[in-house]
Amino acid sequence: MPYVAPVKDMLFAMNELAGLSEVVAYPTYAEAGADVDLAPAILEEAAKFNQDVVAPLNWPGDQNPSSFKEGVVTTAPGFKEAFEQFGSAGWQGVVHPAEFGGQGLPKLIATACFEMVHSASLSFALCPMLTDGAIEALLTAASPELLERFVPNMISGEWTGSMCLTEPQAGSDLSMVRARAVPEGNGAYKIFGTKIYITYGEHDMAKNIVHLVLARTPDAPEGVKGISLFVVPKFLVNADGSLGDRNDVHCVSIEHKLGIKASPTAVLQFGDHGGAIGYLVGEENRGLEYMFVMMNAARFAVGMQGIAVAERAYQKAVQYAKDRVQSRDLAGSPGPVAIIHQPDVKRMLMTMRAYTEASRALAYYAAAAYDAQHADPDEAVKKANQAIYEFLVPIVKGFSTEMSIEVASLGVQVHGGMGFIEETGAAQHYRDARILTIYEGTTAIQANDLVGRKTVRDGGATAKVLSQKIAETEKELAASSSADAQAVLKQLTLARAAFEEAVAYILANAKSDVKAVYAGSFAYLRLAGLVLGGWQMARGLLAAERLRETDPSFYSAKIATARFFAENLMPQTQALATSIVESGYSTNALEVEQF
Amino acid sequence: MPYVAPVKDMLFAMNELAGLSEVVAYPTYAEAGADVDLAPAILEEAAKFNQDVVAPLNWPGDQNPSSFKEGVVTTAPGFKEAFEQFGSAGWQGVVHPAEFGGQGLPKLIATACFEMVHSASLSFALCPMLTDGAIEALLTAASPELLERFVPNMISGEWTGSMCLTEPQAGSDLSMVRARAVPEGNGAYKIFGTKIYITYGEHDMAKNIVHLVLARTPDAPEGVKGISLFVVPKFLVNADGSLGDRNDVHCVSIEHKLGIKASPTAVLQFGDHGGAIGYLVGEENRGLEYMFVMMNAARFAVGMQGIAVAERAYQKAVQYAKDRVQSRDLAGSPGPVAIIHQPDVKRMLMTMRAYTEASRALAYYAAAAYDAQHADPDEAVKKANQAIYEFLVPIVKGFSTEMSIEVASLGVQVHGGMGFIEETGAAQHYRDARILTIYEGTTAIQANDLVGRKTVRDGGATAKVLSQKIAETEKELAASSSADAQAVLKQLTLARAAFEEAVAYILANAKSDVKAVYAGSFAYLRLAGLVLGGWQMARGLLAAERLRETDPSFYSAKIATARFFAENLMPQTQALATSIVESGYSTNALEVEQF
């Protein structure tokens, strides 16, 4: 099943909801050549590349996963060649600084490009995604010398990056990291330890791998305040930039996984043969802080993976539903019809479509906030956008990935018995999507972040700002006379009230009844995703009503999808608010031995 | 991970919610030796067998699926031996008539036994489950001679059964069945055609396979009124009962599936070498009618599979959550604690547990209604119970299987990164569960059945009966002074109102706006499952409050779980009612080409 990048939908979200014209007008992006006409040109290029080169590798990659033998990982057929093309075409550097060979374009544009790579193949896209994360970590804190030595070759796609955080005893809780870094006196360190779940921690797609590794120096304090960040290349780099000795980091196995099988997930052993040479990034003991910058980028990216796999699953389900003839139309048809005419199939497809569009719109909106945070000349505007971006990151990550599992599962369901047969391909999305709510911080981690750092810490200020923005959209809806706008207004108003009820409950009880509040953290994240996603859909409806005459089929579909989201999905916000406010006690009522 | 049959939970549901003492008192069951003490004895035996013999085969069976070579299917290691034990111990015959070698016990008891087989291994249990279906079909309509020839050997487990309905062009829509049956004049027919997705359609676990096949005789009318049912054995049976010639039915391939890999899913070719000998079951052209009897049994059984896999996934997740130490307690603990102390982990485990218990309680309640339908001496009571059982079957099937996917997915999530590694085993449940909403009628088929045949056809009479029963439970809750009962009462009252609103909408619009009504059929099924499951949980709470002093830990867990269900899951009923009533238009708004 081919993938067709939804360029028109992406541009709609970028132009009408994320404010592309304002973003590209920032001097830093304008200087890089960005304008409103650049976006469609780049998106069309990205679409071509991902449709033609990457997407065809996805199913074969699942059937011929990366393999491990005597320390060497061989990736799936075609991956190496496709990644060479990816790098040489400049796709790794879209968002990165021109001084290191990047294009310096807004995250908003890069996000749309990356959505396509993820849709084409989650497994493939993980390699540039992790490289992106490693570049981001280096840009955050590395010395000019380290930057010069590593970043240009990563941006060009000649080398890739990995993020080495997790250890067997340190998963969600990085305070338990035990990897050691022993100073050598010459600015270098020797690194010792085991890292697990390292995506593309070993592979054959690039000449070198630049591992970003969390470890402790000998005198570091306990806990998260004693973690430092090191860059540990697979091959050492000589002064002239050429590759030197093999470093003492070795892959000892890769995992046998449920999905994303083409991407190797490595167990890496550092320092078993004397110590792996590493270089400190930034200052000692500030590793987690740097990691958080990078993790926000990676979490956002994983959220995009959710949207991307949902889009792919949706396209596949639509195609099947149009092709598969079975049963008569409920209203009575002379003979059997394509199943897309059955209301429950429409319900499934609309659910898939509405979740995907809403999540995409919210993610792009967040990307634009990130761009404003970095490029707006006004400090107050920067700060305001930073708060919004940081509030949205756990939602983009948590909500989009949770919905992607549901959407991929619906994709299987639309196919009926065929969906359960591996060769059909729908099951691959169901398997692949299942990792997204786990890596880069489980949904619980995102939900706790949303409650603690993003809602309670500022006394609900950012939540209130978003609430006010929604209320403004409600006013605009009220001004439209259409039945669609009125239907959306009704549900959006209720959803906003549910959101505000939840925020008020959390603020009032976060100190006095912490376990009850966090028992509702997942529900709060989901509620926030529904109301904010539904808000973007409502804004989309308003834009579509304005633009309707220019393309009636496209815009009337936007309007109907917004209304479906409001009437079919957004009402869940009421149930979630009830559960947040009422079920704190019963969630925690059982003693451990009663389970 | 071992499986421990939840015998105590099962007996609670049987005794306190399904009325075991009334069921066993029916003369037909009492004569078969049933009494309230028999149930625990049988359940303990079943537990022992399934824990020790079947459960250990589940993961190896996934890793060594059934294989196909030159027409021969070799099942997973140990399956053949386990099935021999299953048969010789009499487990196939628990519910079947004593005259053919069965035990003639109530479905309520058999249901608990079968739940255990399914929990132990969905793949294994499919073989006796399909055999059960075939026995049921024969008992419904076969001649005494056919019964005598086939049924005793099936009940003893020497032969197995299969149900051959689906063809490539006839999945959900059996009116399109094309297999042909040509009369031979001697009471036999020659059968020609292709059947797909035939579970245990070919295997090496029994000496013979008794296929129940839907086909059309030469002069049969078009559509569902021209379908007849035939019994087509793999080996013909001589007059003396010994096995004769190999019949002309051959397996040409088995499927490469997402899950339940140990169970072979066959493509069967009938009549490629002259015609497969078949015998008419009952009368010509009444095949679908007989099939429906059997399908109700099979649909109920698949619902039990959902409950069973949910139970297994829950047990596994609990064990991991108790073992895995990571992060401090939110309320502050000196060091890291087992993750079961984290509120969001409790939320996941409670969700898994509450869904499983509610679905089990509802299924057992339905099984007792089936027993009353068949064994009560009073015709009016029979009819009333038949209506309730038939109303509940699509809910047991649809709701329990949909929730099982969610529960299995939560099971993966509780394991974090480990959940995505196949060797952990949590992913197997996630893959296995995915078929349950598809086979024996997709959830859409169940939902349409619930709306059309079960709600609209009797003008909502059965729905109203159930509503009244819920209202009576509300009165009992009101009479309890406990905060738990009051909390459940509040949500149950709201849920019943949502159910009644949905029923009223469906009845009012089923004729005038059929597409809008059926757009809400899935939501209606889910709403019904939540309110009826929640009702059983509420009844369980009342029983637990009465019994609390006898076993405080067990009964207080029942109370807390009932309250969690009410506060955390049942509020979704409001959202579902909104979606049923409001989203009929938007679900159907898009034209095919707009997708």
Side-chain angles (χ1 to χ4, degrees), chain A residues 59 63 167-174 176 197 255-261 314 318 322 324-331 336 340-344 346-350 353 402 405 409-410 412-413 416-423 427 430-432 434-435 437-438 442-444 448 484 490-491 514-515 518-519 521-522 552-554 556-557 560-561 563-564 567-568 571-572 575 578-579 582-595, chain B residues 59 63 167-174 176 197 255-260 314 318 322 324-331 336 340-344 346-350 353 402 405 409-410 412-413 416-423 427 430-432 434-435 437-438 442-444 448 484 490-491 514-515 518-519 521-522 552-554 556-557 560-561 563-564 567-568 571-572 575 578-579 582-595:
Chain A
W59 167 248
Q63 295 301 295
E167 299 176 11
Q169 78 295 343
S172 291
D173 184 4
L174 291 174
M176 297 171 83
Y197 299 153
E255 307 291 353
H256 171 212
K257 306 192 300 290
L258 170 63
I260 53 164
K261 295 187 183 189
Y314 167 73
V318 165
K322 287 181 177 177
R324 172 72 173 168
V325 173
Q326 187 79 171
S327 304
R328 283 160 210 268
D329 187 307
L330 273 177
I340 198 168
H341 294 281
Q342 303 297 338
D344 191 64
K346 282 204 168 160
R347 191 262 316 165
M348 292 192 275
L349 296 177
M350 287 300 290
R353 175 188 175 92
E402 291 284 341
I405 296 175
S409 183
L410 285 169
V412 172
Q413 188 72 17
M418 286 287 287
F420 201 65
I421 307 298
E422 283 287 3
E423 283 76 6
Y430 176 72
R431 289 187 286 100
D432 285 354
R434 194 62 196 79
I435 190 58
T437 60
I438 296 173
T442 62
T443 307
N448 288 358
D484 298 310
K490 178 178 165 188
Q491 299 300 334
V514 61
K515 288 203 170 183
Y518 281 87
S521 60
F522 173 85
S553 173
F554 180 75
S556 70
T561 307
R563 182 164 173 180
F564 177 88
E567 293 178 334
N568 208 296
Q572 294 171 31
T578 301
S579 134
E582 310 224 347
S583 78
Y585 164 76
S586 59
T587 304
N588 290 300
L590 260 60
E591 299 297 327
V592 168
E593 56 276 12
Q594 287 179 295
F595 281 96
Chain B
W59 167 248
Q63 296 300 295
E167 300 176 9
Q169 79 294 344
S172 293
D173 184 4
L174 291 173
M176 295 170 84
Y197 299 153
E255 306 291 353
H256 171 213
K257 307 193 299 291
L258 170 64
I260 55 166
Y314 168 72
V318 166
K322 286 180 176 176
R324 171 73 172 168
V325 173
Q326 186 81 172
S327 303
R328 284 159 208 268
D329 187 308
L330 272 178
I340 197 167
H341 293 280
Q342 302 298 339
D344 192 63
K346 282 205 168 160
R347 192 262 314 167
M348 290 193 275
L349 295 177
M350 288 299 292
R353 174 189 177 92
E402 291 283 344
I405 296 175
S409 183
L410 285 169
V412 172
Q413 188 73 17
M418 287 286 288
F420 201 65
I421 307 298
E422 283 287 3
E423 283 77 5
Y430 176 73
R431 288 188 285 102
D432 284 356
R434 196 61 197 80
I435 190 58
T437 59
I438 296 172
T442 62
T443 307
N448 287 358
D484 298 310
K490 178 178 164 188
Q491 298 302 333
V514 62
K515 288 203 169 184
Y518 281 86
S521 61
F522 174 85
S553 174
F554 180 76
S556 69
T561 307
R563 183 165 171 179
F564 177 88
E567 293 178 334
N568 208 295
Q572 294 170 29
T578 300
S579 133
E582 310 225 346
S583 77
Y585 164 76
S586 59
T587 304
N588 290 300
L590 260 60
E591 300 297 328
V592 170
E593 57 277 12
Q594 286 179 294
F595 281 94

Side-chain angles (χ1 to χ4, degrees), chain B residues 504-525:
Chain B
Y505 171 82
I506 288 168
L507 293 174
N509 297 282
K511 283 210 170 149
S512 58
D513 199 354
V514 62
K515 288 203 169 184
V517 165
Y518 281 86
S521 61
F522 174 85
Y524 175 57
L525 181 144

Side-chain angles (χ1 to χ4, degrees), chain B residues 9-155:
Chain B
D9 285 295
M10 291 171 158
L11 289 170
F12 175 79
M14 292 166 82
N15 285 311
E16 306 304 329
L17 306 178
L20 177 67
S21 61
E22 294 165 51
V23 168
V24 292
Y26 286 125
T28 173
Y29 302 130
E31 283 163 25
D35 61 39
V36 285
D37 297 328
L38 182 72
I42 292 190
L43 264 57
E44 288 297 347
E45 270 307 301
K48 209 165 155 332
F49 176 76
N50 288 298
Q51 290 167 185
D52 298 348
V53 178
V54 182
L57 303 177
N58 195 45
W59 167 248
D62 184 74
Q63 296 300 295
N64 304 280
S66 287
S67 59
F68 174 81
K69 201 176 167 187
E70 294 170 8
V72 175
V73 170
T74 306
T75 50
F79 271 48
K80 184 175 158 64
E81 295 73 17
F83 187 68
E84 275 167 16
Q85 289 187 56
F86 181 89
S88 59
W91 293 116
Q92 186 75 62
V94 178
V95 80
H96 296 302
E99 67 173 303
F100 297 113
Q103 301 181 47
L105 291 174
K107 185 181 182 80
L108 179 55
I109 293 176
T111 294
C113 296
F114 253 102
E115 181 189 323
M116 296 183 205
V117 201
H118 291 305
S119 279
S121 170
L122 286 185
S123 281
F124 176 85
L126 278 166
C127 186
M129 185 190 118
L130 270 294
T131 302
D132 236 19
I135 294 170
E136 196 97 28
L138 292 169
L139 290 173
T140 301
S143 65
E145 192 265 331
L146 284 181
L147 287 176
E148 194 47 56
R149 202 187 319 171
F150 292 105
V151 173
N153 279 329
M154 294 168 79
I155 286 179

Side-chain angles (χ1 to χ4, degrees), chain A residues 132-414:
Chain A
D132 236 17
I135 293 170
E136 196 97 28
L138 291 169
L139 290 174
T140 300
S143 64
E145 192 265 331
L146 284 180
L147 287 176
E148 194 47 55
R149 200 183 327 169
F150 291 107
V151 172
N153 279 329
M154 296 168 79
I155 286 180
S156 71
E158 279 173 276
W159 301 351
T160 68
S162 90
M163 290 165 56
C164 303
L165 286 67
T166 304
E167 299 176 11
Q169 78 295 343
S172 291
D173 184 4
L174 291 174
S175 73
M176 297 171 83
V177 158
R178 283 198 211 124
R180 292 180 302 119
V182 181
E184 288 286 283
N186 57 355
Y189 291 72
K190 283 204 166 168
I191 311 289
F192 302 89
T194 303
K195 295 288 179 177
I196 63 171
Y197 299 153
I198 311 306
T199 304
Y200 280 98
E202 180 56 46
H203 62 84
D204 58 358
M205 283 158 63
K207 297 190 191 85
N208 202 3
I209 304 175
V210 181
H211 303 290
L212 275 287
V213 184
L214 289 185
R216 290 182 189 284
T217 52
D219 305 322
E222 288 284 299
V224 294
K225 289 179 179 162
I227 299 176
S228 303
L229 183 63
F230 298 88
V231 53
V232 183
K234 176 177 170 184
F235 288 98
L236 298 176
V237 181
N238 298 324
D240 65 356
S242 64
L243 292 184
D245 290 345
R246 182 74 164 80
N247 205 352
D248 185 11
V249 45
H250 295 280
C251 177
V252 293
S253 64
I254 63 172
E255 307 291 353
H256 171 212
K257 306 192 300 290
L258 170 63
I260 53 164
K261 295 187 183 189
S263 66
T265 303
V267 177
L268 293 183
Q269 205 64 38
F270 291 82
D272 272 9
H273 308 283
I277 306 294
Y279 311 98
L280 182 68
V281 177
E283 297 172 25
E284 275 191 22
N285 299 333
R286 291 183 64 186
L288 210 70
E289 185 186 318
Y290 308 146
M291 256 321 175
F292 260 112
V293 173
M294 181 192 54
M295 275 205 289
N296 268 336
R299 286 173 176 183
F300 180 89
V302 174
M304 289 311 305
Q305 290 194 302
I307 296 159
V309 72
E311 171 70 34
R312 185 95 188 248
Y314 167 73
Q315 290 190 14
K316 190 167 175 58
V318 165
Q319 194 57 52
Y320 185 80
K322 287 181 177 177
D323 290 347
R324 172 72 173 168
V325 173
Q326 187 79 171
S327 304
R328 283 160 210 268
D329 187 307
L330 273 177
S333 56
V337 295
I339 61 171
I340 198 168
H341 294 281
Q342 303 297 338
D344 191 64
V345 174
K346 282 204 168 160
R347 191 262 316 165
M348 292 192 275
L349 296 177
M350 287 300 290
T351 302
M352 298 171 81
R353 175 188 175 92
Y355 267 136
T356 307
E357 288 191 8
S359 302
R360 175 186 293 128
L362 191 59
Y364 287 16
Y365 183 87
Y370 176 94
D371 289 326
Q373 173 195 339
H374 288 86
D376 200 282
D378 183 334
E379 204 51 42
V381 174
K382 270 177 187 287
K383 280 227 162 114
N385 277 287
Q386 179 176 4
I388 287 176
Y389 176 69
E390 290 182 355
F391 189 91
L392 294 180
V393 165
I395 301 170
V396 168
K397 203 290 184 178
F399 182 79
S400 309
T401 58
E402 291 284 341
M403 77 85 191
S404 78
I405 296 175
E406 191 177 337
V407 168
S409 183
L410 285 169
V412 172
Q413 188 72 17
V414 169

